Amino acid sequence: AIQMTQSPSSLSASVGDRVTITCRAGQGIRNDLAWYQQKPGKAPKLLIYDASSLQSGVPSRFSGSGSGTDFTLTISSLQPEDFATYYCLQDHSFPYSFGQGTKVDI
Amino acid sequence: AQLVESGGGLVKPGGSLRLSCEASGFKFSDYHMTWVRQAPGKGLEWVSYITGTGRTIHYADSVRGRFTISRDNANNFLYLQMTSLRVEDTAVYFCVREMGSGGGRDSWGQGTLVSVSS
C-alpha cells in the first residue's frame, strides 16, 4: 500500500495569505494525485485532479503541482470560505489512500 | 448526478448491515464507483471500488473478507454488505462516482452513518 504523508496537519493563516500544503507519496505515483476540500458536515469537494488540473468551477486561487512523490496544493490568496480541511488522494494503484488531512484555520 | 446513501444505523459488534446508494441523473453503468468512510472527527479512508461492469473489485485491507461491494446496473444501485462489524467500523460512509476524476465525473453522496456499539 502506498502511504501518503501530508503536512502540516493544521495551520493558521490570515485572509490574503498564501498557503501551501504538501503531500509525499511513499513511492512514485506519476501525477495520479487529487486534492479535496472538506467543510464540517459536508462531503469532500474535488479541487485538483491529475496533480495540477483545476476542477471546473473551482476558483483559480487554488493550484496544484508536483509529480512522482512530492506534491503541493497552493492557495494564492486565502479567502474566508477556504476555512476547511484539505486531503490529498493517490489514485495510482490499489488500495487508494488519502493523506491525513490539513485543517486550515482562518 | 445525484447519489443518495441509505441503510446506516446502530448495530452491535459482530453484526451485519447493508448500505445502499441510489444513483440518478446519469448512466450508472458507465461509471466506476467507490465507498469511502470517515470515522467521527477523523480523516477519509478509502474502502472499496467496483468498475462499471462489476467485473473488477478492490478492497482496503481493513475490510477485506468482511465487506462486499456490488452493484445493480439495471436499477442504478451500489451496495456495501458489511459483516463481522467492529467498533472501528463506526463512520460516515460515502458513495462516490469516479473519485479523483476531472471533467465533472467526480461526485459524492451525502453519506450515511454507521455506528457499531454494544
Side-chain angles (χ1 to χ4, degrees):
Chain A
I2 299 175
Q3 184 168 1
M4 303 302 293
T5 303
Q6 192 175 333
S7 61
S9 56
S10 66
L11 66 91
S12 293
S14 300
V15 172
D17 283 354
R18 182 180 182 89
V19 170
T20 299
I21 299 168
T22 64
C23 199
R24 175 165 289 176
Q27 64 188 71
I29 59 170
R30 298 185 307 201
N31 68 335
D32 297 326
L33 185 108
W35 288 99
Y36 284 89
Q37 176 193 69
Q38 187 181 31
K39 296 184 178 180
K42 301 293 187 182
K45 172 188 173 183
L46 180 66
L47 301 175
I48 302 287
Y49 62 96
D50 294 344
S52 60
S53 296
L54 190 68
Q55 172 73 331
S56 177
V58 174
S60 58
R61 63 180 179 273
F62 291 93
S63 65
S65 64
S67 183
T69 59
D70 294 313
F71 302 87
T72 299
L73 173 70
T74 299
I75 309 172
S76 61
S77 179
L78 200 65
Q79 299 302 302
E81 60 268 29
D82 299 336
F83 162 75
T85 301
Y86 295 84
Y87 295 92
C88 62
L89 163 74
Q90 71 82 13
D91 56 357
H92 177 71
S93 64
F94 292 101
Y96 289 172
S97 47
F98 289 93
Q100 307 96 310
T102 296
K103 185 174 182 180
V104 176
D105 290 319
I106 306 296
Chain B
Q2 188 171 13
L3 299 166
V4 179
E5 301 95 334
S6 61
L10 177 63
V11 62
K12 289 182 167 51
S16 299
L17 212 55
R18 188 178 82 156
L19 305 183
S20 300
C21 171
E22 183 175 14
S24 60
F26 63 98
K27 189 178 179 185
F28 183 60
S29 60
D30 280 354
Y31 294 87
H32 61 73
M33 300 295 295
T34 296
W35 287 100
V36 171
R37 68 184 181 183
Q38 186 169 37
K42 303 298 184 183
L44 301 169
E45 180 185 12
W46 176 85
V47 173
S48 186
Y49 164 101
I50 186 169
T51 53
T53 61
R55 291 196 192 108
T56 299
I57 286 171
H58 295 280
Y59 295 101
D61 289 345
S62 57
V63 307
R64 186 177 292 112
R66 300 187 300 121
F67 290 11
T68 302
I69 191 171
S70 62
R71 63 190 299 159
D72 176 355
N73 284 343
N75 294 296
N76 299 329
F77 275 90
L78 175 72
Y79 300 106
L80 187 68
Q81 178 69 48
M82 303 184 295
T83 63
S84 302
L85 282 161
R86 305 167 180 167
V87 171
E88 56 265 34
D89 294 320
T90 295
V92 173
Y93 285 73
F94 295 99
C95 158
V96 190
R97 183 187 79 172
E98 296 267 334
M99 187 173 68
S101 299
R105 299 193 301 276
D106 178 290
S107 181
W108 292 60
Q110 84 289 348
T112 187
L113 177 62
V114 172
S115 296
V116 185
S117 174
S118 54

